Coordinates of all heavy atoms in Angstrom, one line a residue:
Chain A
L410 N 118.7 96.0 108.3 CA 118.1 96.1 106.9 C 117.3 94.8 106.6 O 117.9 93.8 106.4 CB 119.3 96.2 106.0 CG 120.1 97.5 106.1 CD1 121.4 97.5 105.3 CD2 119.3 98.8 105.8
P411 N 116.0 95.0 106.5 CA 115.1 93.8 106.3 C 115.0 93.4 104.9 O 115.3 94.1 103.9 CB 113.8 94.3 106.9 CG 113.8 95.8 106.6 CD 115.3 96.2 106.7
L412 N 114.5 92.2 104.7 CA 114.2 91.6 103.4 C 112.8 92.0 102.9 O 112.3 91.5 101.9 CB 114.3 90.1 103.4 CG 115.7 89.5 103.6 CD1 115.7 88.2 104.3 CD2 116.3 89.3 102.2
W413 N 112.1 92.8 103.7 CA 110.7 93.1 103.3 C 110.6 94.6 103.4 O 111.4 95.3 104.1 CB 109.8 92.5 104.3 CG 110.1 92.6 105.7 CD1 111.0 91.8 106.5 CD2 109.8 93.7 106.6 NE1 111.2 92.3 107.7 CE2 110.5 93.5 107.9 CE3 109.1 94.9 106.4 CZ2 110.3 94.4 108.9 CZ3 108.9 95.8 107.5 CH2 109.6 95.5 108.8
G414 N 109.5 95.2 102.8 CA 109.2 96.6 103.0 C 110.1 97.6 102.4 O 111.1 97.2 101.7
E415 N 109.8 98.8 102.6 CA 110.6 99.9 102.0 C 111.7 100.3 103.0 O 111.6 100.2 104.2 CB 109.7 101.1 101.8 CG 108.7 101.0 100.8 CD 108.0 102.3 100.6 OE1 107.2 102.7 101.4 OE2 108.3 103.0 99.6
Y416 N 112.8 100.8 102.4 CA 113.8 101.5 103.2 C 113.4 102.9 103.4 O 112.4 103.3 102.9 CB 115.2 101.4 102.5 CG 115.9 100.1 102.6 CD1 115.3 99.0 103.1 CD2 117.3 100.0 102.2 CE1 116.0 97.8 103.2 CE2 117.9 98.8 102.2 CZ 117.3 97.7 102.8 OH 118.0 96.5 102.8
S417 N 114.3 103.6 104.2 CA 114.0 105.0 104.5 C 115.3 105.7 104.8 O 116.3 105.0 105.0 CB 113.0 105.2 105.6 OG 113.6 104.7 106.8
T418 N 115.3 107.0 104.8 CA 116.5 107.8 105.2 C 116.9 107.3 106.6 O 118.1 107.1 106.9 CB 116.2 109.3 105.2 OG1 115.8 109.6 103.8 CG2 117.5 110.1 105.5
D419 N 115.9 107.2 107.5 CA 116.2 106.8 108.9 C 116.9 105.4 108.9 O 117.9 105.2 109.6 CB 114.9 106.8 109.7 CG 115.2 106.4 111.2 OD1 116.0 107.2 111.8 OD2 114.7 105.4 111.6
L420 N 116.4 104.5 108.1 CA 117.0 103.1 108.1 C 118.4 103.2 107.5 O 119.3 102.5 108.1 CB 116.1 102.3 107.2 CG 116.0 100.8 107.5 CD1 115.5 100.6 108.9 CD2 115.1 100.1 106.5
A421 N 118.6 104.0 106.5 CA 120.0 104.2 105.9 C 120.9 104.8 107.0 O 122.1 104.4 107.1 CB 119.9 105.1 104.7
R422 N 120.4 105.7 107.8 CA 121.2 106.3 108.8 C 121.6 105.3 109.9 O 122.8 105.2 110.3 CB 120.5 107.5 109.6 CG 120.3 108.7 108.7 CD 119.5 109.8 109.5 NE 120.3 110.4 110.5 CZ 119.9 111.4 111.2 NH1 118.7 111.9 111.0 NH2 120.6 111.9 112.2
Q423 N 120.6 104.5 110.3 CA 120.9 103.4 111.3 C 122.0 102.4 110.7 O 122.9 102.0 111.5 CB 119.6 102.6 111.6 CG 118.5 103.4 112.2 CD 118.8 103.9 113.7 OE1 119.9 103.9 114.2 NE2 117.8 104.3 114.4
A424 N 121.8 102.1 109.5 CA 122.8 101.1 108.9 C 124.2 101.7 108.8 O 125.2 101.0 109.1 CB 122.3 100.7 107.5
L425 N 124.3 103.0 108.4 CA 125.6 103.7 108.4 C 126.2 103.7 109.8 O 127.4 103.4 110.0 CB 125.4 105.1 107.9 CG 125.2 105.4 106.4 CD1 124.9 106.8 106.2 CD2 126.5 105.0 105.7
R426 N 125.4 104.1 110.8 CA 125.9 104.2 112.2 C 126.4 102.8 112.6 O 127.5 102.7 113.2 CB 124.8 104.7 113.1 CG 124.5 106.2 112.8 CD 123.4 106.6 113.8 NE 123.9 106.9 115.1 CZ 124.1 108.2 115.5 NH1 123.8 109.2 114.7 NH2 124.5 108.5 116.7
S427 N 125.6 101.8 112.4 CA 126.0 100.5 112.8 C 127.3 100.0 112.1 O 128.2 99.5 112.7 CB 124.8 99.5 112.6 OG 125.2 98.3 112.3
A428 N 127.4 100.4 110.8 CA 128.6 100.0 110.1 C 129.8 100.7 110.6 O 131.0 100.2 110.5 CB 128.4 100.3 108.6
M429 N 129.6 101.9 111.1 CA 130.8 102.7 111.6 C 131.0 102.4 113.0 O 131.9 103.1 113.7 CB 130.4 104.2 111.5 CG 130.0 104.7 110.1 SD 131.5 105.0 109.0 CE 132.1 106.5 109.7
G430 N 130.2 101.5 113.6 CA 130.4 101.2 115.1 C 129.9 102.3 116.0 O 130.2 102.4 117.2
R431 N 129.0 103.2 115.4 CA 128.4 104.2 116.3 C 127.2 103.7 116.9 O 126.6 102.7 116.5 CB 128.0 105.5 115.4 CG 129.1 106.2 114.8 CD 128.6 107.5 114.1 NE 129.6 108.1 113.3 CZ 129.5 109.2 112.6 NH1 128.3 109.8 112.6 NH2 130.4 109.7 111.9
Q432 N 126.7 104.4 118.0 CA 125.5 104.0 118.7 C 124.3 104.2 117.8 O 124.2 105.1 117.1 CB 125.4 104.8 120.0 CG 124.9 104.0 121.1 CD 124.8 104.9 122.4 OE1 125.2 106.1 122.3 NE2 124.4 104.3 123.5
A433 N 123.3 103.3 118.0 CA 122.1 103.5 117.2 C 121.4 104.8 117.6 O 121.5 105.2 118.7 CB 121.1 102.3 117.5
R434 N 120.7 105.4 116.7 CA 119.9 106.6 116.9 C 118.7 106.2 117.8 O 118.1 105.2 117.7 CB 119.3 107.2 115.7 CG 120.3 107.9 114.8 CD 119.6 108.4 113.6 NE 118.8 109.6 113.9 CZ 117.6 109.8 113.4 NH1 117.0 109.0 112.7 NH2 116.9 110.9 113.8
T435 N 118.4 107.1 118.8 CA 117.3 106.9 119.6 C 116.0 107.5 118.9 O 116.1 108.4 118.2 CB 117.4 107.5 121.0 OG1 117.9 108.8 120.8 CG2 118.5 106.7 121.8
V436 N 114.9 106.9 119.2 CA 113.6 107.4 118.7 C 113.4 108.8 119.2 O 113.5 109.1 120.4 CB 112.5 106.5 119.1 CG1 111.1 107.0 118.7 CG2 112.7 105.1 118.6
D437 N 113.0 109.7 118.2 CA 112.8 111.1 118.6 C 111.5 111.6 118.0 O 111.5 112.5 117.2 CB 114.0 112.0 118.2 CG 114.0 113.3 118.8 OD1 113.2 113.5 119.8 OD2 114.7 114.2 118.4
H438 N 110.4 111.0 118.4 CA 109.1 111.4 118.0 C 108.1 110.8 118.9 O 108.4 109.9 119.6 CB 108.8 111.0 116.5 CG 108.9 109.5 116.3 ND1 107.9 108.6 116.6 CD2 109.9 108.7 115.9 CE1 108.2 107.4 116.3 NE2 109.5 107.4 115.9
C439 N 106.8 111.3 118.8 CA 105.8 110.7 119.7 C 105.4 109.4 119.1 O 105.5 109.1 117.9 CB 104.6 111.7 119.9 SG 103.7 111.9 118.3
A440 N 104.9 108.5 120.0 CA 104.5 107.2 119.5 C 103.2 107.3 118.7 O 102.4 108.1 119.0 CB 104.2 106.3 120.8
P441 N 103.1 106.5 117.6 CA 101.9 106.5 116.8 C 100.7 106.2 117.7 O 100.8 105.3 118.6 CB 102.1 105.5 115.8 CG 103.6 105.2 115.7 CD 104.1 105.6 117.1
Q442 N 99.7 107.0 117.6 CA 98.5 106.8 118.5 C 97.7 105.5 118.1 O 97.5 105.3 116.9 CB 97.5 108.0 118.3 CG 96.3 107.9 119.0 CD 96.2 108.8 120.2 OE1 97.0 109.7 120.3 NE2 95.3 108.6 121.1
Q443 N 97.5 104.7 119.1 CA 96.8 103.4 118.8 C 95.3 103.5 119.0 O 94.9 104.4 119.7 CB 97.3 102.3 119.8 CG 98.8 102.1 119.8 CD 99.3 101.5 118.4 OE1 98.7 100.7 117.8 NE2 100.4 102.0 118.0
G444 N 94.6 102.7 118.3 CA 93.1 102.6 118.5 C 92.3 103.7 117.9 O 91.1 103.8 118.2
L445 N 92.9 104.4 117.0 CA 92.1 105.4 116.3 C 91.2 104.8 115.3 O 91.6 103.7 114.7 CB 93.0 106.4 115.6 CG 93.9 107.3 116.4 CD1 94.8 108.2 115.5 CD2 93.0 108.2 117.3
A446 N 90.0 105.4 115.0 CA 89.1 104.8 114.0 C 89.8 104.8 112.7 O 90.5 105.7 112.3 CB 87.9 105.7 113.9
M447 N 89.8 103.6 112.0 CA 90.5 103.5 110.7 C 89.6 104.0 109.6 O 88.4 104.2 109.6 CB 90.8 102.0 110.5 CG 91.7 101.4 111.5 SD 93.3 102.2 111.6 CE 94.1 101.5 110.2
R448 N 90.3 104.3 108.4 CA 89.6 104.6 107.2 C 90.0 103.6 106.1 O 90.8 103.9 105.2 CB 90.1 106.0 106.7 CG 89.4 107.1 107.4 CD 89.8 108.5 106.8 NE 89.8 109.5 107.8 CZ 88.7 110.2 108.1 NH1 87.6 110.1 107.5 NH2 88.8 111.1 109.1
P449 N 89.5 102.4 106.3 CA 89.9 101.4 105.3 C 89.3 101.8 103.9 O 88.3 102.5 103.8 CB 89.3 100.1 105.8 CG 88.2 100.5 106.7 CD 88.6 101.9 107.2
P450 N 90.0 101.4 102.8 CA 89.4 101.7 101.5 C 88.0 101.0 101.5 O 87.9 99.9 102.0 CB 90.4 101.0 100.5 CG 91.5 100.6 101.3 CD 91.3 100.7 102.7
N451 N 87.1 101.7 100.8 CA 85.7 101.2 100.9 C 85.0 101.4 99.6 O 85.4 102.2 98.8 CB 85.0 102.1 101.9 CG 83.7 101.6 102.4 OD1 83.3 100.5 102.1 ND2 83.0 102.4 103.3

Side-chain angles (χ1 to χ4, degrees):
Chain A
L410 298 169
L412 289 151
W413 48 270
E415 292 187 284
Y416 280 11
S417 64
T418 302
D419 183 59
L420 211 58
R422 287 179 74 176
Q423 299 287 19
L425 279 173
R426 291 178 81 100
S427 148
M429 306 280 284
R431 296 187 189 177
Q432 214 177 4
R434 284 181 75 222
T435 49
V436 175
D437 195 12
H438 58 83
C439 66
Q442 177 106 16
Q443 302 298 319
L445 293 178
M447 299 299 284
R448 277 183 214 273
N451 194 3

